[in-house]
Amino acid sequence: MSVKLRAPKGTHDLLPPDSEKYAAVEHVARRVFGSFGYGEIRTPVFESTELFSRSVGETTDIVHKEMYTFPDRKGRSLTLRPENTAGVVRALVEHGLQEMPRPIRLWYAGPQFRYEQPQAGRYREFRQIGVELLGVAGSAGDAEVLAMLFRFLEALGFTDLTATLNCIPSGAARESFSLALREHVRPKAASLGPEDARRLEENPLRLFDSKDPEVVSLLRGAPSTLEFLDEESRRHHEELKELLRQAGVRFTESAAIVRGLDYYTRTVFEVASERLGAQNAILGGGRYDGLVAHLGGPPTPAVGFAIGEDRLVSLMTTDARPERPLFWVVPDSKDELAYALAVASELRAVMPDATVESDLAGRGIGKGLSRAAQILADPGRHAQRAGGVRAVLLGSREREDGKVTIKDLATGEQETFPRTELAERFGAARER
Ligand code: AMP
């Protein structure tokens, strides 16, 4: 008996028009990030496992239990990337970032993989759009990245989002903070689940990743990250807040934002939306001044963020797809097929931004027109509707006389004219 083939648990296929929404978001990313001088980087979907255990952190949830790790045919341990910053840094170190002009400005978009329990907004294969700025130690780097992020979100129609900002202690200050946190939680250690008990011992900062309501409330009274900042980090944080105010970036502060990856230093931030439900984070980011050196490169400060593209697309209320007029070319019978194909390619040449689709069946004008009406009613075709939907009706008379009949489906108006006038009529309309 044959088994039904299905996409693996936690993955989802993207078909039109959804795939077009993703493409449109990536198009806006390329435009906005490009306007700040950021170039696109594409790194492998799998990397050596060691890259992630060394960068994301052995004790993080991601490395501990969420990675897709497998041996290849030669027994090398590989992992499907759970995030993209480690791969970007690995690529830069490999390609000699010490020789590259600073700052280094990069963005990426692509699939990431985590073995999580799937639920609304949480998948095993999901997509991230991210940005990395390397070589800027000062708070102006953090401010540029955040200002650019908000420019991007606004370009997609999100005008009411707010960043939640924190500054986490680094180096020796981080050790003291970890100790204080452990002291605070230890009296309640007996009531912790096995996962949180492990966090408490191995890496108390990771307790902030806990979903256990008791731990969440326990941490509410915990020592604050801000109390443990060294003088320089405190100054960095204050400067950043001032720059953000001047740039008009909306933010609030929260000492509970620690982020689930070990490589962050100083600035961390998130943007969430209540409309997403339980999995409410749209994006997260921060500064990672130690990571490049940790992965074998020269000491290089860096800051970046990663947006969950699936969550972003699910929140969008505006259609980011470009408006394209649609021409639905209908040959009356098989005898007009060749003529229809010729008219269609002429229309494409005249209007490169239009969609020109041919009804290849040649089942008659009536059937072709009712198909065009269906297209007009299809919400997925909204972008095309906004640019106008027209049927190009081609019967034996049109073919013999070298003419076309074009019916505007919004107004019902119809006109027959020589095919040689297509450029004049539609090419000119585009210029206006
Ligand atoms: P992180 O790399 O964990 O900081 O995540 C950055 C963003 O990626 C989050 O704010 C989410 O929007 C998105 N994200 C992370 N994990 C998943 C997942 N399993 N499914 C969908 N989106 C995710």
Side-chain angles (χ1 to χ4, degrees), residues 328-341 357-368 392-396:
W328 183 254
V329 181
V330 188
D332 193 25
S333 75
K334 296 239 184 314
D335 292 341
E336 281 77 44
L337 264 180
Y339 186 59
L341 293 178
E357 271 190 73
S358 302
D359 183 319
L360 296 172
R363 291 163 307 186
I365 299 283
K367 285 227 170 74
V392 183
L393 308 174
L394 304 173
S396 57

Side-chain angles (χ1 to χ4, degrees), residues 64 194 268 384:
H64 191 66
V268 286
Q384 288 159 336

Side-chain angles (χ1 to χ4, degrees), residues 380-400:
R381 297 272 198 153
H382 169 81
Q384 288 159 336
R385 255 186 354 208
V389 179
R390 296 177 184 85
V392 183
L393 308 174
L394 304 173
S396 57
R397 193 125 35 94
E398 278 82 0
R399 173 170 54 87
E400 280 156 20

Side-chain angles (χ1 to χ4, degrees), residues 14-317:
L14 292 180
L15 280 70
D18 289 339
S19 53
E20 289 161 9
K21 292 184 190 157
Y22 281 69
V25 164
E26 288 155 26
H27 179 78
V28 174
R30 178 168 284 110
R31 179 164 58 74
V32 173
F33 301 158
S35 77
F36 282 74
Y38 286 68
E40 187 184 2
I41 182 167
R42 300 187 191 196
T43 63
V45 163
F46 58 85
E47 297 269 1
S48 74
T49 301
E50 191 193 349
L51 172 65
F52 302 113
S53 48
R54 265 172 61 185
S55 57
V56 175
E58 287 283 3
T59 57
T60 58
D61 279 2
I62 292 179
V63 172
H64 191 66
K65 55 179 190 189
E66 293 172 1
M67 294 207 303
Y68 278 93
T69 297
F70 55 95
D72 73 1
R73 287 175 186 275
K74 289 265 168 69
R76 287 168 286 235
S77 181
L78 299 174
T79 293
L80 297 183
R81 62 184 184 201
E83 59 95 60
N84 222 148
T85 299
V88 168
V89 171
R90 196 264 316 131
L92 288 174
V93 171
E94 192 169 328
H95 293 274
L97 94 161
Q98 60 275 17
E99 312 297 335
M100 300 177 189
R102 307 287 176 93
I104 300 169
R105 294 185 160 103
L106 295 168
W107 72 276
Y108 61 78
Q112 319 293 333
F113 305 86
R114 294 181 196 175
Y115 194 87
E116 295 193 86
Q117 217 34 57
Q119 52 173 272
R122 197 207 269 166
Y123 312 105
R124 291 184 171 174
E125 182 193 36
F126 59 99
R127 293 148 190 91
Q128 284 185 337
I129 297 179
V131 156
E132 315 292 356
L133 168 65
L134 295 100
V136 183
S139 50
D142 316 39
E144 169 172 292
V145 157
L146 274 156
M148 184 169 79
L149 166 65
F150 276 82
R151 172 67 63 84
F152 172 63
L153 293 172
E154 276 156 21
L156 292 175
F158 296 101
T159 49
D160 57 349
L161 292 173
T162 300
T164 310
L165 189 67
N166 192 18
C167 188
I168 55 176
S170 317
R174 192 183 183 110
E175 287 302 307
S176 322
F177 177 62
S178 290
L179 281 178
L181 208 53
R182 196 176 277 147
E183 294 290 296
H184 176 80
V185 178
R186 193 161 268 156
K188 292 276 171 65
S191 64
L192 295 182
E195 189 66 22
D196 289 324
R198 182 181 65 82
R199 288 173 165 141
L200 177 65
E201 288 319 311
E202 292 179 355
N203 190 350
L205 257 73
R206 296 275 66 88
L207 284 166
F208 284 97
D209 305 334
S210 176
K211 309 271 181 311
D212 181 346
E214 208 174 312
V215 176
V216 173
S217 90
L218 193 58
L219 288 175
R220 242 174 246 137
S224 158
T225 47
L226 295 173
E227 294 162 26
F228 285 81
L229 294 183
D230 58 87
E231 206 31 57
E232 230 182 298
S233 295
R234 190 185 310 280
R235 199 171 334 117
H236 185 98
H237 190 52
E238 291 306 318
E239 278 172 12
L240 172 59
K241 287 192 288 181
E242 189 49 38
L243 287 171
L244 292 179
R245 275 183 212 110
Q246 288 182 20
V249 173
R250 278 182 311 278
F251 67 92
T252 56
E253 283 189 83
S254 165
I257 302 274
V258 173
R259 314 271 306 116
L261 297 85
D262 268 353
Y263 52 62
Y264 287 110
T265 52
R266 292 189 179 162
T267 307
V268 286
F269 54 89
E270 284 182 1
V271 173
S273 167
E274 294 309 317
R275 280 167 49 212
L276 277 173
Q279 301 297 317
N280 64 2
I282 305 173
L283 64 95
R287 181 163 274 285
Y288 51 98
D289 288 344
L291 186 61
V292 178
H294 190 66
L295 293 179
T300 308
V303 54
F305 61 76
I307 306 172
E309 189 177 1
D310 309 88
R311 294 186 192 173
L312 189 71
V313 168
S314 76
L315 281 174
M316 275 171 48
T317 50

